[in-house]
Amino acid sequence: LQAIAAARFPLVPVRFLLTDTFESWRYAPAIRVPTLLLQAERDELIPAASTAALLAAFAPGVASLAIMPGEGHNFMPDNPRYLEILRDAMSRD
């Protein structure tokens, strides 16, 4: 999160302001349970490259990626497909 915020707001000292860093990439290699990454197709906050890098940080076969078509970051839960995607992911595991 810090790196994304720092890139988006280069004049703001985000590294000093953000106390929760959400370094998922740091912990991903140790995770051994099935994990779903959900990405908004038109995410205005989290770049697709960051999601791809996080997916790559997991051991092969541990994480899967679902993309919410046509959706923005803050409105994914409002999309009827949101719960469908979560149910499908849970039924696979």
Side-chain angles (χ1 to χ4, degrees):
L1 182 62
Q2 280 185 342
I4 293 169
R8 188 170 177 109
F9 305 105
L11 301 178
V12 177
V14 294
R15 296 192 192 286
F16 299 109
L17 298 173
L18 288 175
T19 57
D20 293 322
T21 58
F22 300 101
E23 295 178 330
S24 302
W25 57 270
R26 183 182 305 272
Y27 306 104
I31 295 173
R32 297 289 177 245
V33 297
T35 303
L36 174 66
L37 302 180
L38 189 55
Q39 175 184 336
E41 181 181 42
R42 296 183 342 201
D43 198 315
E44 62 282 0
L45 298 178
I46 308 297
S50 293
T51 304
L54 177 58
L55 181 63
F58 283 87
V62 172
S64 61
L65 174 65
I67 299 174
M68 291 286 299
E71 206 56 74
H73 183 90
N74 291 317
F75 298 100
M76 287 192 292
D78 297 335
N79 188 309
R81 294 229 34 239
Y82 180 78
L83 291 178
E84 178 185 323
I85 289 170
L86 295 180
R87 275 193 289 272
D88 288 350
M90 290 178 69
S91 68
R92 284 193 305 262
D93 302 326

